[in-house]
Amino acid sequence: LPRSHWLWNYTTGSMWLNASARYDLIYKRDIKMRKLDSTKVRPLKSEQLLRIEDHDFALRPGFGGSPIPVGIDVQVESIDSISEVDMDFTMTLYLRHYWKDERLSFPSTNNKSMTFDGRLIKKIWVPDVFFVHSKRSFIHDTTVENVMLRVYPDGNVLFSLRITVSAMCFMDFSRFPLDTQNCSLELESYAYNEDDLMLYWKHGNESLSTDEHISLSQFFIEEFSASSGLAFYSSTGWYNRLFINFALRRHIFFFVLQSYFPAMLMVMLSWVSFWIDRRAVPARVSLGITTVLTMSTIITGVSASMPQVSYIKAVDVYLWISFLFVFLSVIEYAAVNYLTTIEERKQLKKRGKASGMYNIDAVQAMAFDGCYHDPDVEMDLPAFTDRCEENETRARAVSVSNVGTARIKRKRSFKGNVGRIILQNNHVIDTYSRIIFPSVYIVFNFFYWGLYI
């Protein structure tokens, strides 16, 4: 520095710079440090071309004037899942925004657009579209964030991103599983009401497109449609809202195999007891209890996979009426057994045996083996009477050939009397039940399937 910038202190014998010299030195050092600072972010060439630094992009385009129109089109890539328990659906889609921002216009000789990735999105204004009633959503980021920004020379902008969103679907299960569900995905601006932003479908009904190979395991996708409307909030006003509507019709074949067909089989199996001898108490009781427990398991399995709604579903109607038929078949045999016991006692009293040893033996036999013993039938059957025992005793004293001949005769006699014995031991309730139960169940099926299909 020149000597004029230095001052001499005669007291201390030292020199120092005057004020103006110190200021010049600090300023020059600052400039030098800025030049040497390689970490300072300099505007990219594209940003310089778009003049990003010259505008305040915190404000929407045309702030203070008419609302900015933002066009939307959507391509649905897939419907990933439908959950009845959570009442929601998951969808993957391409969401594209179209608007014009003259602040981004740039000179171009060939009128070609410029395409950017997600890094420029944070530096400019973009519409704040969100999904109404969404539970969770995310932008795909494999291998890089799936975001694209395309700017045209006249300031038109295309902003596209790939999103997976899970949103609520208010389902009605009153006709489940013969139902059709109508769901919608709703889009709306979060901050800008209709005075600042006008949201609309870019190409009308053709703004919504779908992949041809979209399919679901439990549903037919009947239709996709686009619509629009207005939403009112008391604190902020009216907002434009867009709807992606789609209808889902449920596949019935899965539920026929898992619920309806097993229920039909259990009901028909319960009718088998009407053809079993009324004296076979263990057989008829065990068959009835087995069918009741199986129906309970089917009902529990269906209810476990469904939301706990407070109204009756179509499958509940069918399963519970089927359960009622099975339960009534058990009650039917209880009535048959009770009336048979009453009838037996009356017959024994008429014959004057109510207080005799025979009555005691019959009651003890029924308590022991659980079977009803008809005195008349047992007297007629050679294999179950004292006469059989006498014949067998005599047969032991005769030759082997005579014994074989006697046994063959008894078998033939027993086989010839089986049909007559079963018919004679049929209770009138069993006879009518064989006709009434199947007839009523068939009529119920006609009404059920006719009503819900």
Side-chain angles (χ1 to χ4, degrees), residues 182-202:
N182 296 301
C183 300
S184 64
L185 184 63
E186 305 172 12
L187 296 86
E188 182 181 307
S189 172
Y190 189 82
Y192 299 101
N193 59 22
E194 65 172 353
D195 296 329
D196 289 319
L197 188 147
M198 184 181 66
L199 206 62
Y200 68 99
W201 289 111
K202 177 67 174 176

Side-chain angles (χ1 to χ4, degrees), residues 97-252:
H97 311 70
Y98 302 87
W99 74 95
K100 186 174 183 179
D101 190 345
E102 294 182 353
R103 296 173 295 183
L104 297 177
S105 60
F106 60 91
S108 176
T109 56
N110 51 13
N111 200 29
K112 286 187 177 180
S113 61
M114 292 192 297
T115 302
F116 306 92
D117 57 16
R119 287 174 291 182
L120 189 63
I121 301 298
K122 299 177 182 178
K123 299 181 180 181
I124 66 171
W125 182 90
V126 294
D128 58 342
V129 174
F130 79 105
F131 297 99
V132 185
H133 304 307
S134 65
K135 295 182 177 181
R136 54 196 171 272
S137 61
F138 63 91
I139 299 174
H140 290 260
D141 56 2
T142 305
T143 57
V144 294
E145 194 174 30
N146 297 171
V147 175
M148 184 268 288
L149 181 71
R150 182 170 294 167
V151 182
Y152 293 88
D154 58 354
N156 283 307
V157 182
L158 165 61
F159 173 42
S160 176
L161 61 163
R162 182 168 175 255
I163 301 177
T164 293
V165 57
S166 296
M168 294 179 60
C169 179
F170 300 98
M171 301 181 182
D172 179 17
F173 296 107
S174 58
R175 299 177 64 89
F176 176 87
L178 308 169
D179 56 334
T180 298
Q181 300 296 340
N182 296 301
C183 300
S184 64
L185 184 63
E186 305 172 12
L187 296 86
E188 182 181 307
S189 172
Y190 189 82
Y192 299 101
N193 59 22
E194 65 172 353
D195 296 329
D196 289 319
L197 188 147
M198 184 181 66
L199 206 62
Y200 68 99
W201 289 111
K202 177 67 174 176
H203 306 290
N205 293 331
E206 297 180 358
S207 300
L208 179 62
S209 59
T210 60
D211 196 317
E212 297 180 355
H213 304 290
I214 292 180
S215 63
L216 294 170
S217 59
Q218 291 191 25
F219 293 93
F220 289 110
I221 302 176
E222 290 192 334
E223 62 175 347
F224 271 95
S225 62
S227 61
S228 60
L230 290 173
F232 177 74
Y233 299 91
S234 58
S235 57
T236 53
W238 292 91
Y239 290 78
N240 294 113
R241 182 176 292 186
L242 304 182
F243 300 87
I244 302 173
N245 307 306
F246 55 97
L248 303 171
R249 182 165 56 87
R250 197 181 304 273
H251 292 287
I252 185 60

Side-chain angles (χ1 to χ4, degrees), residues 202-435:
K202 177 67 174 176
H203 306 290
N205 293 331
E206 297 180 358
S207 300
L208 179 62
S209 59
T210 60
D211 196 317
E212 297 180 355
H213 304 290
I214 292 180
S215 63
L216 294 170
S217 59
Q218 291 191 25
F219 293 93
F220 289 110
I221 302 176
E222 290 192 334
E223 62 175 347
F224 271 95
S225 62
S227 61
S228 60
L230 290 173
F232 177 74
Y233 299 91
S234 58
S235 57
T236 53
W238 292 91
Y239 290 78
N240 294 113
R241 182 176 292 186
L242 304 182
F243 300 87
I244 302 173
N245 307 306
F246 55 97
L248 303 171
R249 182 165 56 87
R250 197 181 304 273
H251 292 287
I252 185 60
F253 188 69
F254 171 80
F255 295 94
V256 169
L257 292 180
Q258 296 295 321
S259 302
Y260 287 96
F261 189 63
M264 291 180 186
L265 290 181
M266 288 303 104
V267 173
M268 290 187 287
L269 184 61
S270 67
W271 300 339
V272 175
S273 64
F274 304 150
W275 299 89
I276 299 177
D277 197 318
R278 60 178 174 170
R279 296 175 299 176
V281 178
R284 295 189 65 163
V285 170
S286 61
L287 180 61
I289 296 300
T290 300
T291 52
V292 167
L293 293 178
T294 305
M295 282 301 305
S296 300
T297 303
I298 295 173
I299 293 173
T300 303
V302 172
S303 301
S305 60
M306 292 297 299
Q308 305 302 315
V309 295
S310 58
Y311 50 85
I312 298 176
K313 303 182 288 293
V315 68
D316 293 335
V317 174
Y318 194 90
L319 293 181
W320 279 105
I321 290 183
S322 298
F323 181 85
L324 180 63
F325 273 89
V326 172
F327 181 76
L328 289 178
S329 68
V330 178
I331 299 301
E332 185 269 349
Y333 180 62
V336 169
N337 187 269
Y338 176 76
L339 295 177
T340 300
T341 304
I342 299 298
E343 182 182 349
E344 178 190 24
R345 290 177 180 176
K346 288 181 180 180
Q347 290 178 357
L348 292 177
K349 286 180 181 180
K350 288 181 182 179
R351 295 175 184 174
K353 300 178 181 180
S355 60
M357 291 301 295
Y358 185 83
N359 181 40
I360 297 175
D361 293 340
V363 173
Q364 288 178 348
M366 186 172 183
F368 178 76
D369 61 5
C371 297
Y372 164 69
H373 295 264
D374 193 334
D376 294 336
V377 176
E378 290 182 353
M379 291 299 292
D380 291 340
L381 286 174
F384 298 95
T385 58
D386 294 335
R387 190 186 310 165
C388 293
E389 295 177 358
E390 294 176 4
N391 290 338
E392 290 177 358
T393 303
R394 294 194 191 102
R396 293 191 186 98
V398 189
S399 63
V400 177
S401 60
N402 292 335
V403 171
T405 304
R407 289 179 179 174
I408 292 172
K409 289 181 179 180
R410 284 197 300 273
K411 289 181 181 179
R412 290 176 179 175
S413 175
F414 178 75
K415 289 179 181 179
N417 293 330
V418 166
R420 181 178 60 84
I421 293 167
I422 293 177
L423 292 175
Q424 288 179 351
N425 285 278
N426 265 343
H427 198 278
V428 64
I429 297 178
D430 279 343
T431 303
Y432 283 111
S433 296
R434 294 171 185 173
I435 301 173

